[in-house]
Amino acid sequence: MSEMATVLVVDDEPIVRDVVVRYLQRDGYDTLEAADGDSARAIIESGQTDLVVLDLMLPGTDGLALCRWIRSGSDLPVIMLTALGEATDRIVGLELGADDYVTKPFSPRELAIRVHNVLKRAERPPLVAETLSFDGLTIEGKTREVSLDGKSLRLTGREFDLLFFLASNASEVFSRAQLMERVWGYEAALDTGTVTVHIRRLRSKIERDPSMPRHLETLWGVGYRFAP
């Protein structure tokens, strides 16, 4: 999929779109462009897109609102573009379900590599016909469904991947860098906040009391583990 994928580049700066598009096309991707959130939404609704490179600061519908809309109905991969000082927006974007982020100014080569890695990860591995059950929490490997006390939970594709990986290796501790490599498919950048945000989102969904997690444990200074 990654070699034939169509990437939608959403940014209101023509020069940014031009540079990103040229690098992506050089790597063999088809590209689409949008200068604002409303145009991007129309393109996404047409079903032509495999991944969105999304600037957060957009006229009309902004990037955060567009990311929220995307996640409400699909697992379409999203890579955010954020200004260097927009840490809050970056965290909010990750909490909304963005798969990765790149801060401006950025290396177009790095962005192209991240596009490749996110798309590679989005290619679902062969379904594992394994059911994991822990104290009312059920994780279906084959159907990628999760339920708590019989109630179905809505997880994004990346949230499921992270949960299934940790639960399949119950009691084993993984650092943030290891989780980035094993679940996201590439080495962690300097900021591994992506893992922290995804753990927080998972706790809000699978834990009866997220403030006192039963399963997703933090070992301070070490990493995370799934406690069976």
Side-chain angles (χ1 to χ4, degrees):
M1 172 177 149
S2 57
E3 286 126 4
M4 305 282 295
T6 298
V7 179
L8 170 61
V9 180
V10 188
D11 197 298
D12 61 339
E13 298 182 46
I15 189 169
V16 172
R17 295 199 310 273
D18 180 63
V19 171
V20 171
V21 162
R22 282 193 288 112
Y23 269 82
L24 292 175
Q25 289 179 344
R26 189 180 70 177
D27 282 1
Y29 299 104
D30 292 327
T31 58
L32 298 168
E33 298 180 47
D36 58 77
D38 297 327
S39 300
R41 178 167 176 164
I43 294 173
I44 293 169
E45 287 179 326
S46 71
Q48 306 174 61
T49 307
D50 297 304
L51 180 145
V52 181
V53 174
L54 176 62
D55 185 32
L56 293 189
M57 301 297 293
L58 295 171
T61 302
D62 66 25
L64 291 177
L66 187 61
C67 185
R68 182 182 296 108
W69 171 76
I70 292 171
R71 265 311 152 260
S72 68
S74 78
D75 289 329
L76 178 67
V78 175
I79 297 178
M80 300 181 301
L81 299 180
T82 70
L84 188 59
E86 295 174 344
T88 301
D89 284 346
R90 186 160 62 246
I91 292 171
V92 171
L94 291 171
E95 289 178 336
L96 290 174
D99 295 89
D100 201 355
Y101 68 87
V102 176
T103 55
K104 294 181 176 180
F106 59 87
S107 160
R109 182 70 248 154
E110 177 191 355
L111 176 58
I113 292 171
R114 287 179 180 267
V115 166
H116 171 79
N117 288 331
V118 169
L119 283 170
K120 183 178 179 181
R121 190 64 198 173
E123 296 173 351
R124 299 302 182 204
L127 296 176
V128 179
E130 181 177 4
T131 300
L132 306 175
S133 297
F134 309 91
D135 188 29
L137 177 68
T138 302
I139 308 166
E140 297 284 356
K142 186 172 184 179
T143 60
R144 301 180 65 86
E145 295 176 339
V146 180
S147 61
L148 180 62
D149 298 330
K151 181 180 179 180
S152 180
L153 305 178
R154 182 179 176 83
L155 270 61
T156 67
R158 187 54 50 80
E159 289 169 353
F160 180 89
D161 291 340
L162 178 58
L163 177 61
F164 192 82
F165 175 77
L166 287 171
S168 298
N169 297 277
S171 299
E172 187 172 350
V173 182
F174 296 93
S175 68
R176 294 189 184 113
Q178 287 174 321
L179 290 173
M180 287 293 288
E181 181 180 359
R182 301 287 292 276
V183 178
W184 273 258
Y186 51 85
E187 294 182 1
L190 293 178
D191 185 345
T192 53
T194 302
V195 174
T196 303
V197 171
H198 278 74
I199 290 288
R200 185 189 311 152
R201 286 214 318 263
L202 272 176
R203 282 177 177 154
S204 72
K205 296 180 180 183
I206 73 164
E207 299 284 4
R208 294 182 177 87
D209 183 357
S211 65
M212 299 183 65
R214 165 70 181 84
H215 294 301
L216 292 177
E217 296 184 343
T218 300
L219 279 74
W220 297 107
V222 182
Y224 302 98
R225 72 179 174 193
F226 186 94

